[in-house]
Amino acid sequence: MQQCRMVEMRYKEVININDGCRLGYVGDVEIRLPEGHVTAIIVPGPCRFFGLFGRGEDYYIPWDCIKQIGDDIILIDKPFQRREPYRCSGKRGRCRF
């Protein structure tokens, strides 16, 4: 089994094989604790108006949608959904790392 570190995943481009759309590069991963299972990858959304007005919504890609992880790209085979990035809050105890 091939191993991949998070640092290496940040340099891999995510491509949807349904429509050939290039989503961007991996920005974050979602991990279920305490098991340590990766449940999803998160790709930052596209820049708005040359980056002056921030970014669009993030792409949330469940791990079971990933078909192949190569040297340079990650292929996904399912329509993705966009999701707002996590915000750190004491009430929910969730934080984007």
Side-chain angles (χ1 to χ4, degrees), residues 42 56-58 83-88 92 94 96:
I42 301 170
E57 297 176 15
D58 291 347
R83 182 170 83 177
E84 289 296 322
Y86 288 128
R87 303 275 191 249
C88 292
R92 291 193 231 162
R94 291 177 21 181
R96 182 175 182 181

Side-chain angles (χ1 to χ4, degrees), residues 16-19 23 59-62 65 76-82:
N16 188 349
I17 61 175
N18 286 329
D19 58 4
L23 302 178
Y59 300 110
Y60 178 82
I61 304 161
C65 293
I76 64 169
D77 184 26
K78 202 169 185 184
F80 54 88
Q81 69 186 62
R82 293 183 180 193

Side-chain angles (χ1 to χ4, degrees), residues 5-69:
R5 299 178 66 187
M6 177 56 193
V7 175
E8 296 167 359
M9 287 195 64
R10 295 180 132 292
Y11 298 107
K12 295 181 188 286
E13 188 172 20
V14 179
I15 298 175
N16 188 349
I17 61 175
N18 286 329
D19 58 4
C21 182
R22 299 171 126 187
L23 302 178
Y25 292 87
V26 176
D28 203 355
V29 294
E30 185 176 82
I31 301 172
R32 186 176 356 147
L33 297 176
E35 298 90 10
H37 293 254
V38 177
T39 58
I41 60 174
I42 301 170
V43 177
C47 291
R48 294 184 185 164
F49 195 68
F50 302 109
L52 298 175
F53 297 106
R55 292 191 165 272
E57 297 176 15
D58 291 347
Y59 300 110
Y60 178 82
I61 304 161
W63 190 256
D64 58 347
C65 293
I66 297 173
K67 293 301 173 190
Q68 186 72 36
I69 298 177

